[in-house]
Amino acid sequence: MAFPNGFLWGGAVAANQWEGGWNLGGRGPAMTDVTTGGTVTEHRKVTYIDKDGNHCTMLQHEKLPEGAHYAVLDEYHYPNHEAVDGYHHYKEDIALFAEMGFKQFRMSISWSRLYPTGLEKEPNREGVELYRSVFEECRKYDIEPLVTIWHFDTPLYLEEHCGGWLNRETIDLYVRFATTCFTEYKGLVHHWLTFNEINNTIMFLDFAGGEHADQEYQDAYQHLHYQFVASAKAVMIGHAIDPDNMIGCMICGITNYPATCDPKDILACQHQWEKNIYYCGDVQVLGAYGSYATRLWKEHNVSLDITDEDLELLSAGTVDMYTFSYYMSSLVTTHKVTDQVAGNFSKGQKNEYLEYSDWGWAVDPDGLQYYLEMMYQRYNVPMMVVENGLGAYDKVEDDGSIHDPYRIDYFRKHIKAMEKAIENGVDVIGYTTWGCIDVVSAGTGEMRKRYGFIYVDMDDEGKGTMKRSRKDSFYWYKKVIASNGADL
Ligand code: P53
Protein backbone atom coordinates (compact mmCIF):
# COMPACT_ATOMS: atom_id res chain seq x y z
CA MET A 1 0.00 0.00 0.00
CA ALA A 2 1.36 3.40 -1.00
CA PHE A 3 0.36 5.56 1.95
CA PRO A 4 2.94 5.28 4.72
CA ASN A 5 1.95 4.48 8.30
CA GLY A 6 1.23 7.65 10.19
CA PHE A 7 0.13 9.50 7.05
CA LEU A 8 -1.52 12.71 8.22
CA TRP A 9 -5.06 12.60 6.80
CA GLY A 10 -7.29 15.52 7.66
CA GLY A 11 -8.93 18.74 6.61
CA ALA A 12 -8.26 22.47 6.57
CA VAL A 13 -9.93 25.80 7.33
CA ALA A 14 -8.73 29.35 8.01
CA ALA A 15 -9.65 31.63 10.91
CA ASN A 16 -11.24 34.34 8.80
CA GLN A 17 -13.43 31.85 6.91
CA TRP A 18 -14.41 29.50 9.75
CA GLU A 19 -14.16 31.27 13.07
CA GLY A 20 -16.31 34.42 13.01
CA GLY A 21 -16.53 36.22 16.36
CA TRP A 22 -14.90 39.15 14.56
CA ASN A 23 -15.53 41.63 17.39
CA LEU A 24 -15.63 39.21 20.30
CA GLY A 25 -13.02 38.44 22.94
CA GLY A 26 -11.00 41.58 22.30
CA ARG A 27 -10.30 40.86 18.64
CA GLY A 28 -9.48 43.80 16.35
CA PRO A 29 -10.67 44.07 12.74
CA ALA A 30 -8.69 42.42 9.94
CA MET A 31 -8.48 43.05 6.22
CA THR A 32 -10.96 40.24 5.68
CA ASP A 33 -13.61 42.04 7.77
CA VAL A 34 -14.17 44.81 5.21
CA THR A 35 -14.87 42.46 2.32
CA THR A 36 -18.40 41.60 1.19
CA GLY A 37 -19.70 38.80 -1.03
CA GLY A 38 -19.16 38.44 -4.77
CA THR A 39 -20.58 36.09 -7.38
CA VAL A 40 -19.47 33.05 -9.33
CA THR A 41 -17.15 34.79 -11.76
CA GLU A 42 -16.36 37.91 -9.76
CA HIS A 43 -13.95 38.41 -6.89
CA ARG A 44 -15.22 39.85 -3.65
CA LYS A 45 -15.39 43.54 -2.88
CA VAL A 46 -13.84 45.80 -0.27
CA THR A 47 -15.98 48.51 1.31
CA TYR A 48 -14.65 51.95 2.10
CA ILE A 49 -15.58 55.57 2.71
CA ASP A 50 -14.05 57.98 0.21
CA LYS A 51 -12.63 61.37 1.15
CA ASP A 52 -16.03 63.04 0.56
CA GLY A 53 -17.79 60.63 2.90
CA ASN A 54 -19.43 58.46 0.23
CA HIS A 55 -19.94 54.76 0.92
CA CYS A 56 -18.18 52.80 -1.84
CA THR A 57 -16.97 49.35 -2.87
CA MET A 58 -14.15 48.23 -5.14
CA LEU A 59 -12.73 44.91 -6.19
CA GLN A 60 -10.51 43.32 -3.58
CA HIS A 61 -7.29 43.66 -5.56
CA GLU A 62 -7.70 47.38 -6.29
CA LYS A 63 -5.84 50.04 -4.36
CA LEU A 64 -7.74 52.17 -1.85
CA PRO A 65 -8.19 55.64 -3.42
CA GLU A 66 -6.25 58.56 -1.96
CA GLY A 67 -7.78 59.74 1.33
CA ALA A 68 -10.26 56.84 1.60
CA HIS A 69 -10.85 54.73 4.70
CA TYR A 70 -11.70 51.04 4.96
CA ALA A 71 -15.09 50.72 6.61
CA VAL A 72 -17.78 48.37 7.84
CA LEU A 73 -21.00 49.82 6.43
CA ASP A 74 -24.56 49.12 7.56
CA GLU A 75 -25.90 48.44 4.07
CA TYR A 76 -23.69 45.39 3.44
CA HIS A 77 -23.41 41.86 4.74
CA TYR A 78 -19.90 40.82 5.73
CA PRO A 79 -19.76 37.02 5.60
CA ASN A 80 -16.48 36.73 7.52
CA HIS A 81 -17.84 38.53 10.60
CA GLU A 82 -19.70 35.45 11.75
CA ALA A 83 -18.33 33.05 9.12
CA VAL A 84 -19.61 29.62 10.24
CA ASP A 85 -19.11 30.53 13.89
CA GLY A 86 -16.26 28.18 14.68
CA TYR A 87 -15.77 30.58 17.61
CA HIS A 88 -18.74 28.98 19.39
CA HIS A 89 -18.80 25.60 17.60
CA TYR A 90 -15.17 24.45 17.66
CA LYS A 91 -15.76 21.63 20.14
CA GLU A 92 -18.62 20.26 18.07
CA ASP A 93 -16.62 20.65 14.84
CA ILE A 94 -13.50 18.97 16.19
CA ALA A 95 -15.64 16.10 17.51
CA LEU A 96 -17.01 15.65 13.96
CA PHE A 97 -13.47 15.70 12.53
CA ALA A 98 -12.51 13.07 15.11
CA GLU A 99 -15.50 10.99 14.07
CA MET A 100 -14.08 10.95 10.52
CA GLY A 101 -10.79 9.82 12.02
CA PHE A 102 -8.74 12.96 11.28
CA LYS A 103 -5.06 12.67 12.19
CA GLN A 104 -4.46 16.33 11.46
CA PHE A 105 -6.50 19.54 11.44
CA ARG A 106 -5.20 22.59 9.61
CA MET A 107 -6.41 25.97 10.85
CA SER A 108 -5.01 29.44 11.26
CA ILE A 109 -4.59 31.91 14.09
CA SER A 110 -6.20 35.29 13.61
CA TRP A 111 -3.40 37.86 14.02
CA SER A 112 -5.84 40.57 15.15
CA ARG A 113 -7.26 38.26 17.82
CA LEU A 114 -3.83 38.12 19.46
CA TYR A 115 -2.71 41.62 18.47
CA PRO A 116 -5.86 43.71 17.77
CA THR A 117 -4.05 46.49 15.88
CA GLY A 118 -0.81 44.61 15.28
CA LEU A 119 1.13 47.20 17.31
CA GLU A 120 0.49 46.01 20.89
CA LYS A 121 3.51 44.92 22.92
CA GLU A 122 1.63 42.12 24.70
CA PRO A 123 -0.93 39.73 23.25
CA ASN A 124 -4.65 39.74 24.10
CA ARG A 125 -4.83 36.91 26.68
CA GLU A 126 -8.39 35.99 25.82
CA GLY A 127 -7.35 35.31 22.24
CA VAL A 128 -4.31 33.30 23.34
CA GLU A 129 -6.48 31.12 25.60
CA LEU A 130 -9.09 30.55 22.89
CA TYR A 131 -6.56 28.87 20.60
CA ARG A 132 -5.03 26.94 23.50
CA SER A 133 -8.47 25.48 24.11
CA VAL A 134 -8.87 24.65 20.39
CA PHE A 135 -5.51 22.84 20.34
CA GLU A 136 -6.28 20.98 23.57
CA GLU A 137 -9.55 19.86 22.07
CA CYS A 138 -7.63 18.48 19.04
CA ARG A 139 -5.15 16.70 21.32
CA LYS A 140 -8.04 15.02 23.16
CA TYR A 141 -8.64 13.06 19.95
CA ASP A 142 -4.96 12.71 18.97
CA ILE A 143 -5.45 15.17 16.15
CA GLU A 144 -2.24 17.02 15.28
CA PRO A 145 -2.89 20.72 14.65
CA LEU A 146 -1.26 22.18 11.53
CA VAL A 147 -1.25 25.91 12.11
CA THR A 148 -1.07 28.65 9.48
CA ILE A 149 0.29 31.80 11.08
CA TRP A 150 -0.93 34.23 8.38
CA HIS A 151 -3.91 33.44 6.19
CA PHE A 152 -4.65 36.71 4.31
CA ASP A 153 -5.87 38.47 7.48
CA THR A 154 -3.42 41.25 8.29
CA PRO A 155 -4.84 43.51 11.06
CA LEU A 156 -6.77 46.29 9.36
CA TYR A 157 -4.94 48.92 11.41
CA LEU A 158 -1.56 47.90 9.98
CA GLU A 159 -2.94 47.92 6.47
CA GLU A 160 -4.67 51.27 6.82
CA HIS A 161 -2.28 53.29 8.97
CA CYS A 162 1.14 51.68 8.58
CA GLY A 163 1.35 50.64 4.94
CA GLY A 164 0.85 46.92 5.64
CA TRP A 165 3.36 44.70 3.88
CA LEU A 166 4.93 47.60 2.02
CA ASN A 167 6.40 48.77 5.30
CA ARG A 168 9.56 47.01 6.49
CA GLU A 169 8.40 47.41 10.11
CA THR A 170 5.58 44.95 9.50
CA ILE A 171 8.24 42.21 9.45
CA ASP A 172 8.98 42.63 13.15
CA LEU A 173 5.30 42.94 14.06
CA TYR A 174 4.63 39.64 12.32
CA VAL A 175 7.67 38.09 14.02
CA ARG A 176 6.32 39.21 17.42
CA PHE A 177 2.99 37.57 16.62
CA ALA A 178 4.67 34.37 15.36
CA THR A 179 6.94 34.24 18.43
CA THR A 180 3.86 34.44 20.68
CA CYS A 181 2.34 31.50 18.78
CA PHE A 182 5.50 29.35 19.08
CA THR A 183 5.92 30.18 22.78
CA GLU A 184 2.33 29.82 23.92
CA TYR A 185 1.58 26.62 22.02
CA LYS A 186 4.91 24.87 22.53
CA GLY A 187 4.18 21.18 22.99
CA LEU A 188 0.62 21.53 21.69
CA VAL A 189 1.53 22.37 18.08
CA HIS A 190 4.51 21.01 16.13
CA HIS A 191 3.53 21.74 12.54
CA TRP A 192 3.41 25.31 11.26
CA LEU A 193 3.04 27.22 7.99
CA THR A 194 4.35 30.79 7.93
CA PHE A 195 2.25 32.33 5.11
CA ASN A 196 -0.73 30.90 3.26
CA GLU A 197 -0.43 30.97 -0.55
CA ILE A 198 2.37 33.50 -0.34
CA ASN A 199 2.69 33.56 -4.15
CA ASN A 200 -0.85 34.95 -4.66
CA THR A 201 0.46 38.50 -4.41
CA ILE A 202 2.25 38.19 -7.73
CA MET A 203 0.11 35.50 -9.37
CA PHE A 204 -3.19 37.33 -8.83
CA LEU A 205 -2.01 40.28 -10.91
CA ASP A 206 -2.52 37.90 -13.85
CA PHE A 207 -5.97 36.88 -12.67
CA ALA A 208 -7.02 40.48 -12.19
CA GLY A 209 -6.68 40.86 -15.98
CA GLY A 210 -5.71 43.93 -17.98
CA GLU A 211 -2.38 45.69 -18.07
CA HIS A 212 -0.59 46.51 -14.85
CA ALA A 213 1.59 49.51 -14.25
CA ASP A 214 5.19 48.83 -13.25
CA GLN A 215 4.36 50.28 -9.83
CA GLU A 216 2.00 47.37 -9.15
CA TYR A 217 4.78 44.87 -9.80
CA GLN A 218 7.16 46.97 -7.74
CA ASP A 219 4.72 46.81 -4.80
CA ALA A 220 3.95 43.12 -5.26
CA TYR A 221 7.63 42.08 -5.32
CA GLN A 222 8.48 44.34 -2.38
CA HIS A 223 5.55 42.99 -0.37
CA LEU A 224 6.78 39.46 -1.11
CA HIS A 225 10.35 40.26 -0.13
CA TYR A 226 9.29 41.53 3.30
CA GLN A 227 7.14 38.43 3.76
CA PHE A 228 10.09 36.19 2.82
CA VAL A 229 12.26 37.89 5.44
CA ALA A 230 9.45 37.63 8.01
CA SER A 231 9.02 33.95 7.19
CA ALA A 232 12.76 33.25 7.49
CA LYS A 233 12.96 34.99 10.86
CA ALA A 234 9.91 33.09 12.09
CA VAL A 235 11.41 29.76 10.99
CA MET A 236 14.61 30.42 12.95
CA ILE A 237 12.73 31.51 16.06
CA GLY A 238 10.34 28.57 15.77
CA HIS A 239 13.27 26.14 15.67
CA ALA A 240 15.01 27.85 18.59
CA ILE A 241 11.85 27.68 20.75
CA ASP A 242 11.21 24.02 19.97
CA PRO A 243 13.62 21.97 17.83
CA ASP A 244 10.73 19.57 17.19
CA ASN A 245 8.84 22.23 15.25
CA MET A 246 8.41 21.43 11.58
CA ILE A 247 7.74 24.60 9.64
CA GLY A 248 6.64 24.85 6.02
CA CYS A 249 6.04 27.27 3.20
CA MET A 250 2.59 27.22 1.58
CA ILE A 251 2.28 27.87 -2.13
CA CYS A 252 -0.86 28.22 -4.26
CA GLY A 253 -0.04 25.30 -6.55
CA ILE A 254 -1.50 25.78 -9.98
CA THR A 255 -0.02 23.39 -12.56
CA ASN A 256 0.87 25.18 -15.81
CA TYR A 257 0.94 23.51 -19.22
CA PRO A 258 1.86 24.99 -22.60
CA ALA A 259 -1.32 25.17 -24.73
CA THR A 260 0.51 24.13 -27.93
CA CYS A 261 3.84 22.56 -28.86
CA ASP A 262 5.01 25.87 -30.31
CA PRO A 263 8.40 26.36 -28.61
CA LYS A 264 7.29 29.90 -27.81
CA ASP A 265 4.47 28.45 -25.69
CA ILE A 266 6.85 26.03 -23.98
CA LEU A 267 9.14 28.89 -23.04
CA ALA A 268 6.25 31.12 -21.94
CA CYS A 269 5.03 28.26 -19.77
CA GLN A 270 8.44 27.85 -18.15
CA HIS A 271 8.49 31.56 -17.38
CA GLN A 272 5.03 31.26 -15.86
CA TRP A 273 6.29 28.56 -13.50
CA GLU A 274 9.20 30.79 -12.54
CA LYS A 275 7.11 33.87 -11.84
CA ASN A 276 4.07 32.30 -10.20
CA ILE A 277 5.38 29.18 -8.49
CA TYR A 278 9.18 28.81 -8.21
CA TYR A 279 9.83 32.42 -7.25
CA CYS A 280 8.49 31.90 -3.71
CA GLY A 281 9.34 28.21 -3.22
CA ASP A 282 12.97 28.76 -4.23
CA VAL A 283 13.45 31.52 -1.67
CA GLN A 284 11.67 29.68 1.13
CA VAL A 285 13.07 26.19 0.55
CA LEU A 286 16.45 26.85 -1.11
CA GLY A 287 17.16 30.11 0.70
CA ALA A 288 17.90 32.39 -2.26
CA TYR A 289 16.27 34.08 -5.22
CA GLY A 290 16.42 32.05 -8.43
CA SER A 291 18.60 33.28 -11.29
CA TYR A 292 15.47 34.24 -13.26
CA ALA A 293 14.43 36.75 -10.57
CA THR A 294 16.59 39.50 -12.10
CA ARG A 295 14.81 39.00 -15.42
CA LEU A 296 11.40 39.23 -13.74
CA TRP A 297 12.34 42.44 -11.92
CA LYS A 298 13.83 43.97 -15.07
CA GLU A 299 10.65 43.28 -17.07
CA HIS A 300 8.81 45.82 -14.91
CA ASN A 301 11.67 48.12 -13.86
CA VAL A 302 11.42 46.86 -10.31
CA SER A 303 14.06 47.97 -7.82
CA LEU A 304 13.77 46.38 -4.40
CA ASP A 305 14.80 47.25 -0.89
CA ILE A 306 16.89 44.13 -0.17
CA THR A 307 19.77 44.34 2.30
CA ASP A 308 22.74 41.98 2.72
CA GLU A 309 21.34 41.08 6.12
CA ASP A 310 18.05 40.11 4.46
CA LEU A 311 19.86 37.76 2.10
CA GLU A 312 21.66 36.11 5.02
CA LEU A 313 18.35 35.65 6.81
CA LEU A 314 16.75 34.10 3.74
CA SER A 315 19.53 31.56 3.48
CA ALA A 316 19.47 30.76 7.22
CA GLY A 317 15.69 30.55 7.67
CA THR A 318 14.71 27.91 5.13
CA VAL A 319 11.62 25.80 5.74
CA ASP A 320 11.51 22.09 6.66
CA MET A 321 8.73 21.11 4.30
CA TYR A 322 7.02 22.21 1.11
CA THR A 323 3.26 22.48 1.37
CA PHE A 324 0.79 23.71 -1.23
CA SER A 325 -2.83 23.99 -2.22
CA TYR A 326 -3.98 22.28 -5.37
CA TYR A 327 -7.27 22.86 -7.13
CA MET A 328 -6.57 23.17 -10.85
CA SER A 329 -4.24 23.45 -13.80
CA SER A 330 -3.98 26.23 -16.35
CA LEU A 331 -2.85 26.65 -19.96
CA VAL A 332 -0.22 29.12 -21.09
CA THR A 333 -0.09 30.34 -24.66
CA THR A 334 1.39 33.08 -26.82
CA HIS A 335 -1.36 32.47 -29.36
CA LYS A 336 -4.80 33.99 -29.57
CA VAL A 337 -7.13 32.44 -26.98
CA THR A 338 -9.98 30.78 -28.87
CA ASP A 339 -11.96 29.29 -25.99
CA GLN A 340 -11.68 31.42 -22.87
CA VAL A 341 -12.07 29.96 -19.38
CA ALA A 342 -14.84 31.74 -17.49
CA GLY A 343 -14.17 31.53 -13.80
CA ASN A 344 -12.89 33.37 -10.78
CA PHE A 345 -9.11 33.17 -10.42
CA SER A 346 -8.80 31.16 -13.60
CA LYS A 347 -8.30 32.48 -17.08
CA GLY A 348 -6.71 31.83 -20.45
CA GLN A 349 -7.34 29.05 -22.92
CA LYS A 350 -9.72 26.27 -21.92
CA ASN A 351 -8.16 22.80 -21.82
CA GLU A 352 -10.29 20.57 -24.07
CA TYR A 353 -9.20 17.44 -22.18
CA LEU A 354 -10.54 18.62 -18.83
CA GLU A 355 -13.84 19.35 -17.15
CA TYR A 356 -14.46 22.57 -15.28
CA SER A 357 -16.16 23.21 -11.95
CA ASP A 358 -19.14 25.57 -11.64
CA TRP A 359 -16.63 28.28 -10.76
CA GLY A 360 -14.53 27.60 -13.86
CA TRP A 361 -11.68 25.71 -12.15
CA ALA A 362 -10.15 22.91 -14.27
CA VAL A 363 -10.51 19.53 -12.57
CA ASP A 364 -7.15 17.83 -13.18
CA PRO A 365 -5.94 15.04 -10.87
CA ASP A 366 -2.98 14.25 -13.16
CA GLY A 367 -1.88 17.83 -12.61
CA LEU A 368 -1.53 17.01 -8.89
CA GLN A 369 0.76 14.06 -9.61
CA TYR A 370 2.74 16.23 -12.03
CA TYR A 371 3.11 19.01 -9.45
CA LEU A 372 4.17 16.66 -6.64
CA GLU A 373 6.77 14.87 -8.76
CA MET A 374 8.17 18.07 -10.19
CA MET A 375 8.47 19.89 -6.87
CA TYR A 376 9.95 16.92 -5.06
CA GLN A 377 12.68 16.66 -7.68
CA ARG A 378 13.36 20.35 -7.26
CA TYR A 379 13.38 20.54 -3.45
CA ASN A 380 13.75 17.05 -2.03
CA VAL A 381 12.00 17.89 1.26
CA PRO A 382 8.84 16.33 2.78
CA MET A 383 5.64 17.56 1.16
CA MET A 384 2.03 18.02 2.21
CA VAL A 385 -1.02 18.78 0.11
CA VAL A 386 -2.70 21.15 2.55
CA GLU A 387 -5.67 22.18 0.40
CA ASN A 388 -7.56 20.32 -2.29
CA GLY A 389 -11.27 20.13 -2.98
CA LEU A 390 -14.25 20.95 -5.13
CA GLY A 391 -16.33 24.07 -4.55
CA ALA A 392 -19.86 23.03 -5.52
CA TYR A 393 -23.56 23.67 -4.92
CA ASP A 394 -25.07 21.18 -2.48
CA LYS A 395 -28.74 20.33 -2.07
CA VAL A 396 -30.28 19.35 1.27
CA GLU A 397 -32.95 16.68 0.73
CA ASP A 398 -36.25 16.70 2.58
CA ASP A 399 -34.95 14.11 5.02
CA GLY A 400 -31.89 16.27 5.72
CA SER A 401 -29.41 14.11 3.81
CA ILE A 402 -26.90 15.63 1.34
CA HIS A 403 -25.80 13.53 -1.60
CA ASP A 404 -22.49 14.78 -3.02
CA PRO A 405 -21.12 12.08 -5.35
CA TYR A 406 -19.34 14.80 -7.40
CA ARG A 407 -17.21 15.67 -4.37
CA ILE A 408 -16.39 12.02 -3.61
CA ASP A 409 -15.42 11.54 -7.25
CA TYR A 410 -13.13 14.59 -7.15
CA PHE A 411 -11.37 13.43 -3.98
CA ARG A 412 -11.08 9.83 -5.13
CA LYS A 413 -9.25 10.89 -8.29
CA HIS A 414 -6.95 13.30 -6.51
CA ILE A 415 -6.07 10.85 -3.75
CA LYS A 416 -5.26 8.25 -6.42
CA ALA A 417 -3.01 10.79 -8.16
CA MET A 418 -1.24 11.49 -4.87
CA GLU A 419 -0.83 7.75 -4.32
CA LYS A 420 0.89 7.43 -7.72
CA ALA A 421 3.32 10.21 -6.83
CA ILE A 422 4.12 8.41 -3.57
CA GLU A 423 4.70 5.18 -5.48
CA ASN A 424 7.08 7.13 -7.69
CA GLY A 425 9.13 8.12 -4.66
CA VAL A 426 7.69 11.46 -3.57
CA ASP A 427 7.77 11.94 0.21
CA VAL A 428 4.19 13.09 0.87
CA ILE A 429 3.49 13.09 4.60
CA GLY A 430 0.01 14.58 4.81
CA TYR A 431 -3.17 15.62 3.06
CA THR A 432 -5.75 18.09 4.33
CA THR A 433 -8.80 18.72 2.16
CA TRP A 434 -9.95 22.34 1.93
CA GLY A 435 -13.02 23.42 3.88
CA CYS A 436 -13.56 20.04 5.56
CA ILE A 437 -16.55 21.86 7.01
CA ASP A 438 -18.31 24.42 4.75
CA VAL A 439 -16.72 27.84 5.17
CA VAL A 440 -17.00 31.30 3.56
CA SER A 441 -15.26 31.37 0.17
CA ALA A 442 -12.01 33.35 0.17
CA GLY A 443 -12.36 34.34 -3.46
CA THR A 444 -16.02 35.34 -3.66
CA GLY A 445 -17.31 35.50 -0.06
CA GLU A 446 -20.09 33.10 -0.99
CA MET A 447 -21.45 30.37 1.27
CA ARG A 448 -23.04 28.45 -1.59
CA LYS A 449 -19.56 27.55 -2.89
CA ARG A 450 -19.23 24.59 -0.56
CA TYR A 451 -16.26 22.27 -0.02
CA GLY A 452 -17.19 20.42 3.17
CA PHE A 453 -17.83 16.88 4.31
CA ILE A 454 -19.95 18.72 6.87
CA TYR A 455 -22.76 20.99 5.72
CA VAL A 456 -23.41 24.25 7.57
CA ASP A 457 -26.89 25.76 7.42
CA MET A 458 -25.93 29.31 6.42
CA ASP A 459 -26.55 31.18 3.17
CA ASP A 460 -24.97 34.02 1.22
CA GLU A 461 -27.13 36.62 2.97
CA GLY A 462 -26.16 35.41 6.44
CA LYS A 463 -29.40 33.53 7.09
CA GLY A 464 -29.31 30.09 8.66
CA THR A 465 -29.16 28.21 11.94
CA MET A 466 -25.45 27.19 11.74
CA LYS A 467 -26.60 23.61 12.24
CA ARG A 468 -24.00 21.05 11.14
CA SER A 469 -24.94 17.91 9.13
CA ARG A 470 -22.96 15.06 7.63
CA LYS A 471 -22.89 14.81 3.82
CA ASP A 472 -22.42 11.46 2.03
CA SER A 473 -18.75 12.39 1.55
CA PHE A 474 -18.38 12.45 5.37
CA TYR A 475 -18.92 8.67 5.58
CA TRP A 476 -16.76 8.10 2.50
CA TYR A 477 -13.76 10.05 3.86
CA LYS A 478 -14.08 8.25 7.20
CA LYS A 479 -13.65 4.97 5.33
CA VAL A 480 -10.68 6.33 3.37
CA ILE A 481 -8.88 7.34 6.55
CA ALA A 482 -9.73 4.09 8.38
CA SER A 483 -8.19 2.10 5.52
CA ASN A 484 -5.20 4.50 5.21
CA GLY A 485 -6.20 5.32 1.64
CA ALA A 486 -6.80 1.74 0.47
CA ASP A 487 -10.59 1.89 0.33
CA LEU A 488 -11.39 4.64 -2.15
P1 P53 B 1 -12.32 29.81 -2.68
C1 P53 B 1 -7.78 31.29 -5.63
C2 P53 B 1 -7.24 30.24 -6.37
C3 P53 B 1 -6.72 29.16 -5.70
C4 P53 B 1 -6.72 29.13 -4.31
O1 P53 B 1 -10.84 29.22 -2.69
C5 P53 B 1 -7.24 30.18 -3.60
C6 P53 B 1 -7.77 31.27 -4.25
C7 P53 B 1 -8.35 32.40 -3.47
O2 P53 B 1 -9.72 32.31 -3.52
O3 P53 B 1 -7.23 30.26 -2.25
C8 P53 B 1 -7.19 29.14 -1.41
O4 P53 B 1 -12.72 29.93 -1.26
C9 P53 B 1 -7.14 29.69 -0.02
C10 P53 B 1 -8.36 29.41 0.80
C11 P53 B 1 -9.57 29.38 -0.10
C12 P53 B 1 -9.40 28.20 -1.06
O5 P53 B 1 -8.22 28.32 -1.80
O6 P53 B 1 -12.22 31.12 -3.39
O7 P53 B 1 -5.98 29.31 0.69
O8 P53 B 1 -8.45 30.37 1.81
O9 P53 B 1 -10.77 29.30 0.56
C13 P53 B 1 -10.55 28.03 -2.03
O10 P53 B 1 -13.14 28.83 -3.43
Side-chain angles (χ1 to χ4, degrees), residues 256-314:
N256 297 293
Y257 304 121
T260 75
C261 54
D262 179 348
K264 293 207 171 13
D265 277 9
I266 311 288
L267 197 59
C269 182
Q270 178 174 308
H271 288 178
Q272 178 98 328
W273 277 103
E274 290 171 351
K275 175 159 75 71
N276 288 352
I277 310 287
Y278 299 152
Y279 186 82
C280 297
D282 286 359
V283 172
Q284 292 188 283
V285 186
L286 305 177
Y289 281 104
S291 54
Y292 50 82
T294 5
R295 173 179 56 75
L296 290 172
W297 297 332
K298 230 197 250 160
E299 271 172 15
H300 297 288
N301 300 309
V302 167
S303 141
L304 297 178
D305 166 30
I306 302 182
T307 65
D308 290 343
E309 196 199 341
D310 289 349
L311 295 176
E312 281 164 32
L313 285 166
L314 296 185

Side-chain angles (χ1 to χ4, degrees), residues 19-28 87-88 90 107 109-116 120 122-136 177 180 184-185:
E19 191 175 284
W22 77 293
N23 57 1
L24 301 179
R27 184 181 177 280
Y87 189 84
H88 294 109
Y90 67 90
M107 51 168 284
I109 294 181
S110 159
W111 185 348
S112 62
R113 192 175 287 293
L114 298 204
Y115 290 93
E120 292 79 3
E122 296 298 325
N124 163 29
R125 289 315 306 178
E126 201 175 335
V128 171
E129 294 316 314
L130 171 74
Y131 293 110
R132 189 186 315 287
S133 168
V134 173
F135 300 140
E136 282 169 354
F177 163 50
T180 300
E184 292 288 343
Y185 309 125

Side-chain angles (χ1 to χ4, degrees), residues 285-351:
V285 186
L286 305 177
Y289 281 104
S291 54
Y292 50 82
T294 5
R295 173 179 56 75
L296 290 172
W297 297 332
K298 230 197 250 160
E299 271 172 15
H300 297 288
N301 300 309
V302 167
S303 141
L304 297 178
D305 166 30
I306 302 182
T307 65
D308 290 343
E309 196 199 341
D310 289 349
L311 295 176
E312 281 164 32
L313 285 166
L314 296 185
S315 106
T318 55
V319 294
D320 309 307
M321 59 178 164
Y322 183 98
T323 86
F324 65 103
S325 62
Y326 180 80
Y327 295 91
M328 60 183 141
S329 59
S330 167
L331 292 184
V332 179
T333 187
T334 59
H335 295 256
K336 195 172 172 315
V337 172
T338 48
D339 191 4
Q340 174 83 37
V341 176
N344 76 312
F345 296 122
S346 63
K347 57 161 228 165
Q349 178 73 32
K350 220 170 178 174
N351 188 330

Side-chain angles (χ1 to χ4, degrees), residues 17 151 196-197 204 327 345 361 387 434 441-443 449 451:
Q17 294 168 260
H151 197 118
N196 183 65
E197 291 190 340
F204 283 17
Y327 295 91
F345 296 122
W361 294 15
E387 286 183 29
W434 176 250
S441 157
K449 187 181 192 187
Y451 287 87

Side-chain angles (χ1 to χ4, degrees), residues 132-151:
R132 189 186 315 287
S133 168
V134 173
F135 300 140
E136 282 169 354
E137 202 63 23
C138 290
R139 291 259 157 234
K140 235 166 79 179
Y141 302 101
D142 282 330
I143 296 174
E144 187 78 42
L146 168 61
V147 177
T148 316
I149 298 173
W150 178 92
H151 197 118

